[in-house]
Amino acid sequence: MDTAKRQGLQKDLRALAANIRADAEGRYDGAEPGWRADVEWTLLWIENTAAQLAECSSADGRQSLIESSARRGA
């Protein structure tokens, strides 16, 4: 994946996480306690994936991203 595509995907993922966070804030205060933790974990995963895209510069980098996600149970 070339640099421009990685940067575009990274930007899209960060925007997605920000939009989800903004939409969810205060909306689900009455939800089950574990729900909020699950949403936060998912948002962190999206943000971390976006950050790792910046580090990937080749097919080997993409493969290590996939492997590291698998090790974390994603």
Side-chain angles (χ1 to χ4, degrees), residues 1 3-21 43 45-51 53:
M1 183 182 300
T3 301
K5 286 182 182 180
R6 273 196 320 276
Q7 289 174 342
L9 182 56
Q10 183 180 32
K11 180 180 175 184
D12 290 346
L13 286 171
R14 287 188 170 146
L16 174 66
N19 288 337
I20 292 170
R21 189 179 304 278
L43 292 172
W45 183 86
I46 292 170
E47 292 163 354
N48 287 337
T49 300
L53 283 170

Side-chain angles (χ1 to χ4, degrees), residues 48-64:
N48 287 337
T49 300
Q52 289 180 10
L53 283 170
E55 299 169 8
C56 296
S57 60
S58 67
D60 292 337
R62 286 193 307 276
Q63 185 61 34
S64 66

Side-chain angles (χ1 to χ4, degrees), residues 34-46:
W35 183 89
R36 181 167 291 216
D38 289 343
V39 170
E40 285 297 322
W41 183 91
T42 302
L43 292 172
L44 288 173
W45 183 86
I46 292 170

Side-chain angles (χ1 to χ4, degrees), residues 17-32:
N19 288 337
I20 292 170
R21 189 179 304 278
D23 285 347
E25 265 193 44
R27 182 182 286 191
Y28 303 103
D29 287 340
E32 295 178 27

